[in-house]
PDB file of all heavy atoms in Angstrom:
ATOM      1  N   THR A   1    -182.743 -92.389 -38.303  1.00 98.00           N
ATOM      2  CA  THR A   1    -182.148 -91.546 -39.330  1.00 98.00           C
ATOM      3  C   THR A   1    -181.450 -92.453 -40.361  1.00 98.00           C
ATOM      4  O   THR A   1    -181.108 -93.577 -40.045  1.00 98.00           O
ATOM      5  CB  THR A   1    -181.089 -90.626 -38.724  1.00 98.00           C
ATOM      6  OG1 THR A   1    -180.024 -91.357 -38.119  1.00 98.00           O
ATOM      7  CG2 THR A   1    -181.692 -89.666 -37.680  1.00 98.00           C
ATOM      8  N   PRO A   2    -181.282 -91.939 -41.633  1.00 97.00           N
ATOM      9  CA  PRO A   2    -181.613 -90.621 -42.056  1.00 97.00           C
ATOM     10  C   PRO A   2    -183.145 -90.367 -42.175  1.00 97.00           C
ATOM     11  O   PRO A   2    -183.908 -91.325 -42.332  1.00 97.00           O
ATOM     12  CB  PRO A   2    -180.979 -90.562 -43.446  1.00 97.00           C
ATOM     13  CG  PRO A   2    -180.864 -91.966 -43.904  1.00 97.00           C
ATOM     14  CD  PRO A   2    -180.741 -92.801 -42.630  1.00 97.00           C
ATOM     15  N   LEU A   3    -183.507 -89.109 -42.038  1.00 98.00           N
ATOM     16  CA  LEU A   3    -184.936 -88.671 -42.120  1.00 98.00           C
ATOM     17  C   LEU A   3    -185.201 -88.215 -43.538  1.00 98.00           C
ATOM     18  O   LEU A   3    -184.815 -87.147 -43.959  1.00 98.00           O
ATOM     19  CB  LEU A   3    -185.206 -87.569 -41.124  1.00 98.00           C
ATOM     20  CG  LEU A   3    -186.624 -86.991 -41.119  1.00 98.00           C
ATOM     21  CD1 LEU A   3    -187.677 -88.024 -40.746  1.00 98.00           C
ATOM     22  CD2 LEU A   3    -186.707 -85.788 -40.189  1.00 98.00           C
ATOM     23  N   THR A   4    -185.895 -89.072 -44.330  1.00 97.00           N
ATOM     24  CA  THR A   4    -186.183 -88.733 -45.690  1.00 97.00           C
ATOM     25  C   THR A   4    -187.281 -87.674 -45.715  1.00 97.00           C
ATOM     26  O   THR A   4    -188.022 -87.535 -44.804  1.00 97.00           O
ATOM     27  CB  THR A   4    -186.664 -89.968 -46.485  1.00 97.00           C
ATOM     28  OG1 THR A   4    -187.885 -90.474 -45.947  1.00 97.00           O
ATOM     29  CG2 THR A   4    -185.620 -91.082 -46.432  1.00 97.00           C
ATOM     30  N   GLN A   5    -187.353 -86.997 -46.870  1.00 96.00           N
ATOM     31  CA  GLN A   5    -188.411 -86.065 -47.073  1.00 96.00           C
ATOM     32  C   GLN A   5    -189.807 -86.696 -46.960  1.00 96.00           C
ATOM     33  O   GLN A   5    -190.724 -86.136 -46.409  1.00 96.00           O
ATOM     34  CB  GLN A   5    -188.295 -85.291 -48.414  1.00 96.00           C
ATOM     35  CG  GLN A   5    -187.212 -84.310 -48.455  1.00 96.00           C
ATOM     36  CD  GLN A   5    -187.087 -83.569 -49.796  1.00 96.00           C
ATOM     37  OE1 GLN A   5    -187.717 -83.971 -50.740  1.00 96.00           O
ATOM     38  NE2 GLN A   5    -186.328 -82.498 -49.783  1.00 96.00           N
ATOM     39  N   GLU A   6    -189.924 -87.885 -47.518  1.00 96.00           N
ATOM     40  CA  GLU A   6    -191.197 -88.629 -47.476  1.00 96.00           C
ATOM     41  C   GLU A   6    -191.575 -88.849 -46.024  1.00 96.00           C
ATOM     42  O   GLU A   6    -192.754 -88.633 -45.661  1.00 96.00           O
ATOM     43  CB  GLU A   6    -191.064 -89.952 -48.215  1.00 96.00           C
ATOM     44  CG  GLU A   6    -192.293 -90.756 -48.190  1.00 96.00           C
ATOM     45  CD  GLU A   6    -192.144 -92.144 -48.867  1.00 96.00           C
ATOM     46  OE1 GLU A   6    -191.005 -92.491 -49.218  1.00 96.00           O
ATOM     47  OE2 GLU A   6    -193.173 -92.854 -48.990  1.00 96.00           O
ATOM     48  N   ARG A   7    -190.655 -89.292 -45.210  1.00 97.00           N
ATOM     49  CA  ARG A   7    -190.940 -89.548 -43.775  1.00 97.00           C
ATOM     50  C   ARG A   7    -191.220 -88.250 -43.065  1.00 97.00           C
ATOM     51  O   ARG A   7    -192.117 -88.125 -42.220  1.00 97.00           O
ATOM     52  CB  ARG A   7    -189.751 -90.297 -43.118  1.00 97.00           C
ATOM     53  CG  ARG A   7    -189.947 -90.583 -41.715  1.00 97.00           C
ATOM     54  CD  ARG A   7    -190.926 -91.772 -41.503  1.00 97.00           C
ATOM     55  NE  ARG A   7    -190.973 -92.214 -40.171  1.00 97.00           N
ATOM     56  CZ  ARG A   7    -192.009 -92.045 -39.332  1.00 97.00           C
ATOM     57  NH1 ARG A   7    -193.107 -91.474 -39.811  1.00 97.00           N
ATOM     58  NH2 ARG A   7    -192.001 -92.482 -38.093  1.00 97.00           N
ATOM     59  N   ALA A   8    -190.462 -87.158 -43.371  1.00 98.00           N
ATOM     60  CA  ALA A   8    -190.672 -85.885 -42.669  1.00 98.00           C
ATOM     61  C   ALA A   8    -192.005 -85.314 -42.972  1.00 98.00           C
ATOM     62  O   ALA A   8    -192.695 -84.764 -42.091  1.00 98.00           O
ATOM     63  CB  ALA A   8    -189.587 -84.901 -43.150  1.00 98.00           C
ATOM     64  N   ARG A   9    -192.488 -85.559 -44.195  1.00 97.00           N
ATOM     65  CA  ARG A   9    -193.834 -85.003 -44.567  1.00 97.00           C
ATOM     66  C   ARG A   9    -194.947 -85.720 -43.866  1.00 97.00           C
ATOM     67  O   ARG A   9    -196.082 -85.188 -43.795  1.00 97.00           O
ATOM     68  CB  ARG A   9    -194.032 -85.065 -46.089  1.00 97.00           C
ATOM     69  CG  ARG A   9    -193.169 -84.067 -46.856  1.00 97.00           C
ATOM     70  CD  ARG A   9    -193.472 -84.047 -48.339  1.00 97.00           C
ATOM     71  NE  ARG A   9    -192.591 -83.278 -49.137  1.00 97.00           N
ATOM     72  CZ  ARG A   9    -192.681 -81.934 -49.287  1.00 97.00           C
ATOM     73  NH1 ARG A   9    -193.632 -81.282 -48.691  1.00 97.00           N
ATOM     74  NH2 ARG A   9    -191.801 -81.298 -50.032  1.00 97.00           N
ATOM     75  N   LYS A  10    -194.730 -86.871 -43.302  1.00 97.00           N
ATOM     76  CA  LYS A  10    -195.773 -87.618 -42.572  1.00 97.00           C
ATOM     77  C   LYS A  10    -195.891 -87.159 -41.168  1.00 97.00           C
ATOM     78  O   LYS A  10    -196.869 -87.433 -40.460  1.00 97.00           O
ATOM     79  CB  LYS A  10    -195.504 -89.113 -42.665  1.00 97.00           C
ATOM     80  CG  LYS A  10    -195.685 -89.747 -44.018  1.00 97.00           C
ATOM     81  CD  LYS A  10    -195.383 -91.190 -44.010  1.00 97.00           C
ATOM     82  CE  LYS A  10    -195.488 -91.781 -45.412  1.00 97.00           C
ATOM     83  NZ  LYS A  10    -195.102 -93.196 -45.472  1.00 97.00           N
ATOM     84  N   LEU A  11    -194.905 -86.454 -40.638  1.00 98.00           N
ATOM     85  CA  LEU A  11    -194.903 -85.980 -39.266  1.00 98.00           C
ATOM     86  C   LEU A  11    -195.814 -84.738 -39.149  1.00 98.00           C
ATOM     87  O   LEU A  11    -195.831 -83.894 -40.066  1.00 98.00           O
ATOM     88  CB  LEU A  11    -193.475 -85.666 -38.788  1.00 98.00           C
ATOM     89  CG  LEU A  11    -192.535 -86.839 -38.716  1.00 98.00           C
ATOM     90  CD1 LEU A  11    -191.135 -86.314 -38.496  1.00 98.00           C
ATOM     91  CD2 LEU A  11    -192.936 -87.832 -37.662  1.00 98.00           C
ATOM     92  N   LYS A  12    -196.508 -84.668 -38.073  1.00 97.00           N
ATOM     93  CA  LYS A  12    -197.446 -83.532 -37.858  1.00 97.00           C
ATOM     94  C   LYS A  12    -197.088 -82.784 -36.543  1.00 97.00           C
ATOM     95  O   LYS A  12    -196.589 -83.371 -35.583  1.00 97.00           O
ATOM     96  CB  LYS A  12    -198.861 -84.077 -37.741  1.00 97.00           C
ATOM     97  CG  LYS A  12    -199.332 -84.832 -38.991  1.00 97.00           C
ATOM     98  CD  LYS A  12    -199.328 -83.948 -40.237  1.00 97.00           C
ATOM     99  CE  LYS A  12    -199.646 -84.698 -41.528  1.00 97.00           C
ATOM    100  NZ  LYS A  12    -199.085 -84.049 -42.656  1.00 97.00           N
ATOM    101  N   ALA A  13    -197.345 -81.508 -36.597  1.00 96.00           N
ATOM    102  CA  ALA A  13    -197.103 -80.657 -35.393  1.00 96.00           C
ATOM    103  C   ALA A  13    -197.800 -81.262 -34.224  1.00 96.00           C
ATOM    104  O   ALA A  13    -198.970 -81.625 -34.310  1.00 96.00           O
ATOM    105  CB  ALA A  13    -197.603 -79.231 -35.668  1.00 96.00           C
ATOM    106  N   GLY A  14    -197.069 -81.405 -33.139  1.00 95.00           N
ATOM    107  CA  GLY A  14    -197.593 -82.008 -31.935  1.00 95.00           C
ATOM    108  C   GLY A  14    -197.168 -83.438 -31.726  1.00 95.00           C
ATOM    109  O   GLY A  14    -197.312 -83.963 -30.632  1.00 95.00           O
ATOM    110  N   ASP A  15    -196.657 -84.084 -32.756  1.00 96.00           N
ATOM    111  CA  ASP A  15    -196.190 -85.502 -32.620  1.00 96.00           C
ATOM    112  C   ASP A  15    -195.019 -85.536 -31.669  1.00 96.00           C
ATOM    113  O   ASP A  15    -194.005 -84.809 -31.818  1.00 96.00           O
ATOM    114  CB  ASP A  15    -195.732 -86.080 -33.967  1.00 96.00           C
ATOM    115  CG  ASP A  15    -196.897 -86.406 -34.914  1.00 96.00           C
ATOM    116  OD1 ASP A  15    -198.048 -86.419 -34.480  1.00 96.00           O
ATOM    117  OD2 ASP A  15    -196.512 -86.726 -36.124  1.00 96.00           O
ATOM    118  N   SER A  16    -195.063 -86.440 -30.695  1.00 96.00           N
ATOM    119  CA  SER A  16    -193.932 -86.720 -29.879  1.00 96.00           C
ATOM    120  C   SER A  16    -193.084 -87.769 -30.541  1.00 96.00           C
ATOM    121  O   SER A  16    -193.650 -88.735 -31.061  1.00 96.00           O
ATOM    122  CB  SER A  16    -194.376 -87.274 -28.494  1.00 96.00           C
ATOM    123  OG  SER A  16    -195.026 -86.286 -27.772  1.00 96.00           O
ATOM    124  N   CYS A  17    -191.768 -87.614 -30.609  1.00 98.00           N
ATOM    125  CA  CYS A  17    -190.923 -88.477 -31.382  1.00 98.00           C
ATOM    126  C   CYS A  17    -189.719 -88.897 -30.585  1.00 98.00           C
ATOM    127  O   CYS A  17    -189.281 -88.162 -29.628  1.00 98.00           O
ATOM    128  CB  CYS A  17    -190.420 -87.766 -32.662  1.00 98.00           C
ATOM    129  SG  CYS A  17    -191.753 -87.206 -33.788  1.00 98.00           S
ATOM    130  N   LEU A  18    -189.167 -90.030 -30.891  1.00 98.00           N
ATOM    131  CA  LEU A  18    -187.900 -90.557 -30.355  1.00 98.00           C
ATOM    132  C   LEU A  18    -186.981 -90.789 -31.511  1.00 98.00           C
ATOM    133  O   LEU A  18    -187.265 -91.636 -32.323  1.00 98.00           O
ATOM    134  CB  LEU A  18    -188.146 -91.822 -29.540  1.00 98.00           C
ATOM    135  CG  LEU A  18    -188.986 -91.617 -28.312  1.00 98.00           C
ATOM    136  CD1 LEU A  18    -189.369 -93.030 -27.713  1.00 98.00           C
ATOM    137  CD2 LEU A  18    -188.330 -90.757 -27.232  1.00 98.00           C
ATOM    138  N   ILE A  19    -185.912 -90.057 -31.559  1.00 98.00           N
ATOM    139  CA  ILE A  19    -184.956 -90.193 -32.662  1.00 98.00           C
ATOM    140  C   ILE A  19    -183.804 -91.104 -32.329  1.00 98.00           C
ATOM    141  O   ILE A  19    -183.209 -90.932 -31.235  1.00 98.00           O
ATOM    142  CB  ILE A  19    -184.381 -88.789 -33.080  1.00 98.00           C
ATOM    143  CG1 ILE A  19    -185.587 -87.877 -33.551  1.00 98.00           C
ATOM    144  CG2 ILE A  19    -183.376 -88.938 -34.201  1.00 98.00           C
ATOM    145  CD1 ILE A  19    -185.138 -86.425 -33.753  1.00 98.00           C
ATOM    146  N   SER A  20    -183.474 -92.044 -33.205  1.00 98.00           N
ATOM    147  CA  SER A  20    -182.321 -92.905 -33.050  1.00 98.00           C
ATOM    148  C   SER A  20    -181.528 -92.846 -34.342  1.00 98.00           C
ATOM    149  O   SER A  20    -182.071 -92.764 -35.439  1.00 98.00           O
ATOM    150  CB  SER A  20    -182.751 -94.336 -32.723  1.00 98.00           C
ATOM    151  OG  SER A  20    -183.399 -94.413 -31.496  1.00 98.00           O
ATOM    152  N   GLY A  21    -180.227 -92.956 -34.199  1.00 98.00           N
ATOM    153  CA  GLY A  21    -179.336 -92.888 -35.394  1.00 98.00           C
ATOM    154  C   GLY A  21    -178.383 -91.743 -35.275  1.00 98.00           C
ATOM    155  O   GLY A  21    -177.981 -91.304 -34.154  1.00 98.00           O
ATOM    156  N   VAL A  22    -177.957 -91.205 -36.400  1.00 98.00           N
ATOM    157  CA  VAL A  22    -176.995 -90.114 -36.491  1.00 98.00           C
ATOM    158  C   VAL A  22    -177.682 -88.829 -36.684  1.00 98.00           C
ATOM    159  O   VAL A  22    -178.492 -88.653 -37.543  1.00 98.00           O
ATOM    160  CB  VAL A  22    -175.932 -90.380 -37.621  1.00 98.00           C
ATOM    161  CG1 VAL A  22    -175.045 -89.205 -37.843  1.00 98.00           C
ATOM    162  CG2 VAL A  22    -175.127 -91.636 -37.345  1.00 98.00           C
ATOM    163  N   ILE A  23    -177.321 -87.811 -35.850  1.00 98.00           N
ATOM    164  CA  ILE A  23    -177.704 -86.434 -36.046  1.00 98.00           C
ATOM    165  C   ILE A  23    -176.415 -85.596 -35.947  1.00 98.00           C
ATOM    166  O   ILE A  23    -175.348 -86.092 -35.475  1.00 98.00           O
ATOM    167  CB  ILE A  23    -178.769 -85.953 -35.049  1.00 98.00           C
ATOM    168  CG1 ILE A  23    -178.297 -85.937 -33.583  1.00 98.00           C
ATOM    169  CG2 ILE A  23    -180.043 -86.817 -35.197  1.00 98.00           C
ATOM    170  CD1 ILE A  23    -179.280 -85.433 -32.586  1.00 98.00           C
ATOM    171  N   TYR A  24    -176.512 -84.352 -36.310  1.00 98.00           N
ATOM    172  CA  TYR A  24    -175.340 -83.448 -36.279  1.00 98.00           C
ATOM    173  C   TYR A  24    -175.637 -82.227 -35.404  1.00 98.00           C
ATOM    174  O   TYR A  24    -176.778 -81.863 -35.245  1.00 98.00           O
ATOM    175  CB  TYR A  24    -174.976 -82.988 -37.676  1.00 98.00           C
ATOM    176  CG  TYR A  24    -174.531 -84.164 -38.564  1.00 98.00           C
ATOM    177  CD1 TYR A  24    -175.434 -84.780 -39.381  1.00 98.00           C
ATOM    178  CD2 TYR A  24    -173.238 -84.579 -38.560  1.00 98.00           C
ATOM    179  CE1 TYR A  24    -175.068 -85.908 -40.185  1.00 98.00           C
ATOM    180  CE2 TYR A  24    -172.865 -85.668 -39.345  1.00 98.00           C
ATOM    181  CZ  TYR A  24    -173.798 -86.295 -40.134  1.00 98.00           C
ATOM    182  OH  TYR A  24    -173.421 -87.401 -40.896  1.00 98.00           O
ATOM    183  N   THR A  25    -174.572 -81.640 -34.861  1.00 97.00           N
ATOM    184  CA  THR A  25    -174.760 -80.407 -34.101  1.00 97.00           C
ATOM    185  C   THR A  25    -174.188 -79.276 -34.944  1.00 97.00           C
ATOM    186  O   THR A  25    -173.193 -79.442 -35.606  1.00 97.00           O
ATOM    187  CB  THR A  25    -173.981 -80.476 -32.747  1.00 97.00           C
ATOM    188  OG1 THR A  25    -172.580 -80.418 -32.970  1.00 97.00           O
ATOM    189  CG2 THR A  25    -174.392 -81.674 -31.946  1.00 97.00           C
ATOM    190  N   ALA A  26    -174.769 -78.133 -34.768  1.00 97.00           N
ATOM    191  CA  ALA A  26    -174.256 -76.900 -35.344  1.00 97.00           C
ATOM    192  C   ALA A  26    -175.016 -75.748 -34.786  1.00 97.00           C
ATOM    193  O   ALA A  26    -176.256 -75.779 -34.645  1.00 97.00           O
ATOM    194  CB  ALA A  26    -174.414 -76.898 -36.893  1.00 97.00           C
ATOM    195  N   ARG A  27    -174.297 -74.671 -34.476  1.00 95.00           N
ATOM    196  CA  ARG A  27    -174.937 -73.442 -34.073  1.00 95.00           C
ATOM    197  C   ARG A  27    -174.644 -72.358 -35.087  1.00 95.00           C
ATOM    198  O   ARG A  27    -174.201 -72.646 -36.143  1.00 95.00           O
ATOM    199  CB  ARG A  27    -174.425 -73.076 -32.646  1.00 95.00           C
ATOM    200  CG  ARG A  27    -175.085 -73.984 -31.614  1.00 95.00           C
ATOM    201  CD  ARG A  27    -174.644 -73.698 -30.186  1.00 95.00           C
ATOM    202  NE  ARG A  27    -174.550 -72.295 -29.878  1.00 95.00           N
ATOM    203  CZ  ARG A  27    -174.373 -71.825 -28.616  1.00 95.00           C
ATOM    204  NH1 ARG A  27    -174.350 -72.643 -27.621  1.00 95.00           N
ATOM    205  NH2 ARG A  27    -174.246 -70.542 -28.427  1.00 95.00           N
ATOM    206  N   ASP A  28    -174.868 -71.101 -34.688  1.00 95.00           N
ATOM    207  CA  ASP A  28    -174.815 -69.981 -35.680  1.00 95.00           C
ATOM    208  C   ASP A  28    -173.409 -69.812 -36.315  1.00 95.00           C
ATOM    209  O   ASP A  28    -173.315 -69.615 -37.516  1.00 95.00           O
ATOM    210  CB  ASP A  28    -175.291 -68.685 -35.129  1.00 95.00           C
ATOM    211  CG  ASP A  28    -174.934 -68.431 -33.707  1.00 95.00           C
ATOM    212  OD1 ASP A  28    -174.836 -69.378 -32.905  1.00 95.00           O
ATOM    213  OD2 ASP A  28    -174.767 -67.217 -33.351  1.00 95.00           O
ATOM    214  N   ALA A  29    -172.309 -69.952 -35.565  1.00 96.00           N
ATOM    215  CA  ALA A  29    -170.974 -69.760 -36.183  1.00 96.00           C
ATOM    216  C   ALA A  29    -170.717 -70.867 -37.212  1.00 96.00           C
ATOM    217  O   ALA A  29    -170.206 -70.611 -38.289  1.00 96.00           O
ATOM    218  CB  ALA A  29    -169.916 -69.795 -35.085  1.00 96.00           C
ATOM    219  N   ALA A  30    -171.105 -72.101 -36.896  1.00 97.00           N
ATOM    220  CA  ALA A  30    -170.901 -73.201 -37.864  1.00 97.00           C
ATOM    221  C   ALA A  30    -171.782 -73.028 -39.041  1.00 97.00           C
ATOM    222  O   ALA A  30    -171.448 -73.276 -40.213  1.00 97.00           O
ATOM    223  CB  ALA A  30    -171.146 -74.578 -37.170  1.00 97.00           C
ATOM    224  N   HIS A  31    -173.066 -72.645 -38.791  1.00 97.00           N
ATOM    225  CA  HIS A  31    -173.985 -72.371 -39.920  1.00 97.00           C
ATOM    226  C   HIS A  31    -173.484 -71.307 -40.846  1.00 97.00           C
ATOM    227  O   HIS A  31    -173.569 -71.465 -42.120  1.00 97.00           O
ATOM    228  CB  HIS A  31    -175.394 -71.952 -39.422  1.00 97.00           C
ATOM    229  CG  HIS A  31    -176.269 -73.124 -39.044  1.00 97.00           C
ATOM    230  ND1 HIS A  31    -176.140 -73.820 -37.886  1.00 97.00           N
ATOM    231  CD2 HIS A  31    -177.344 -73.646 -39.695  1.00 97.00           C
ATOM    232  CE1 HIS A  31    -177.046 -74.759 -37.833  1.00 97.00           C
ATOM    233  NE2 HIS A  31    -177.780 -74.673 -38.935  1.00 97.00           N
ATOM    234  N   LYS A  32    -172.880 -70.261 -40.307  1.00 97.00           N
ATOM    235  CA  LYS A  32    -172.356 -69.216 -41.163  1.00 97.00           C
ATOM    236  C   LYS A  32    -171.228 -69.776 -42.068  1.00 97.00           C
ATOM    237  O   LYS A  32    -171.199 -69.497 -43.261  1.00 97.00           O
ATOM    238  CB  LYS A  32    -171.789 -68.089 -40.311  1.00 97.00           C
ATOM    239  CG  LYS A  32    -171.217 -66.923 -41.108  1.00 97.00           C
ATOM    240  CD  LYS A  32    -170.654 -65.855 -40.201  1.00 97.00           C
ATOM    241  CE  LYS A  32    -170.114 -64.732 -41.120  1.00 97.00           C
ATOM    242  NZ  LYS A  32    -169.458 -63.705 -40.337  1.00 97.00           N
TER     243      LYS A  32
END
């Protein structure tokens, strides 16, 4: 991370991935 749009567009359905770096958590109350 960060996951740029350019990088995201290269990923394809079915790809297995290993993410390293910073991600965030949020569920519906936080999204609202």
Side-chain angles (χ1 to χ4, degrees):
T1 64
L3 177 61
T4 64
Q5 285 182 347
E6 178 184 8
R7 180 74 171 114
R9 288 187 189 278
K10 291 180 182 176
L11 297 170
K12 301 299 174 203
D15 285 350
S16 293
C17 302
L18 296 171
I19 300 171
S20 295
V22 172
I23 65 175
Y24 297 93
T25 70
R27 286 181 38 171
D28 40 325
H31 274 77
K32 181 179 180 187

